Amino acid sequence: MVDDNSKKTLSAIPLLKTKAGPRDKDLWAQRLKEEYQSLIQYVQHNKKSDNDWFRLESNKDGTRWFGKCWFIYNLLKYEFEVEFDIPVTFPLTAPEIALPELDGKTAKMYRGGKICLSDHFKPLWGRNVPKFGIAHAMALGLGPWLAVEVPDLIDKGIIKYKEKSES
């Protein structure tokens, strides 16, 4: 079941058409183009909505993604490195998003800092293959995870606010 807020978020993310993963050489280039277009549109929507919360880039073949995500809590910005690989069975299998610096700090995480998405997100992804992509994983996977886990980790004193150092 998708709530109204999630539906609103989803409406801002273009659905993808090409059912291809990294092994599908020619089709993968088309899928990657759709992924970038979808991500760009989602980020632009977030900026317009004053909800900008991540930056991503990939290696040249689009199989490894990395960047930063952040969460504002009590007017403080908590920033985290984010990374994931595109599974060889993509788009049938969703990427496993990792926040390595939070590894071991919450039960809702697997080894290597991979966030737990099995209960809610993975069934939703499965019902929407190949229409869902990286932007959907961020919006419906990482976003809600951050919203639940980060405030809890801060309140428990597990995550501490870090001042930006002057360079």
Side-chain angles (χ1 to χ4, degrees):
M1 202 66 165
V2 180
D3 63 33
D4 289 340
N5 199 28
S6 295
K7 284 180 185 170
K8 188 176 177 208
T9 299
L10 277 175
S11 71
I13 306 172
L15 296 174
L16 300 122
K17 295 177 182 76
T18 306
K19 187 175 182 180
R23 286 193 229 166
D24 300 313
K25 302 293 178 228
D26 297 338
L27 282 176
W28 176 239
Q30 177 60 35
R31 174 67 185 216
L32 209 47
K33 183 178 172 187
E34 291 175 24
E35 291 285 357
Y36 275 114
Q37 289 169 336
S38 181
L39 269 166
I40 289 166
Q41 218 168 314
Y42 178 47
V43 168
Q44 287 171 339
H45 168 79
N46 286 346
K47 286 182 178 185
K48 282 184 208 150
S49 312
D50 196 27
N51 187 29
D52 190 29
W53 63 275
F54 71 90
R55 289 284 172 279
L56 277 180
E57 57 184 285
S58 75
N59 63 0
K60 70 176 178 47
D61 55 2
T63 56
R64 177 124 183 88
W65 291 77
F66 46 91
K68 295 204 178 291
C69 64
W70 52 90
F71 189 83
I72 310 289
Y73 186 66
N74 292 335
L75 304 178
L76 298 174
K77 182 178 179 181
Y78 295 83
E79 195 170 273
F80 310 100
E81 298 286 329
V82 60
E83 63 185 39
F84 56 91
D85 293 319
I86 297 297
V88 291
T89 52
F90 185 84
L92 295 174
T93 306
E96 291 185 315
I97 300 169
L99 305 174
E101 66 204 89
L102 296 183
D103 188 17
K105 296 188 179 197
T106 170
K108 292 184 181 152
M109 188 170 264
Y110 303 110
R111 182 171 303 174
K114 292 179 178 154
I115 65 171
C116 177
L117 296 173
S118 52
D119 289 350
H120 305 288
F121 178 68
K122 286 195 176 154
L124 186 61
W125 179 279
R127 288 192 302 274
N128 287 282
V129 170
K131 298 177 285 194
F132 276 11
I134 295 165
H136 299 88
M138 297 299 282
L140 299 173
L142 182 58
W145 189 93
L146 289 170
V148 168
E149 289 300 303
V150 171
D152 185 54
L153 291 170
I154 293 166
D155 291 344
K156 289 177 178 171
I158 296 170
I159 296 177
K160 304 265 190 259
Y161 177 71
K162 292 178 260 185
E163 290 282 339
K164 289 249 185 228
S165 57
E166 297 297 319
S167 28

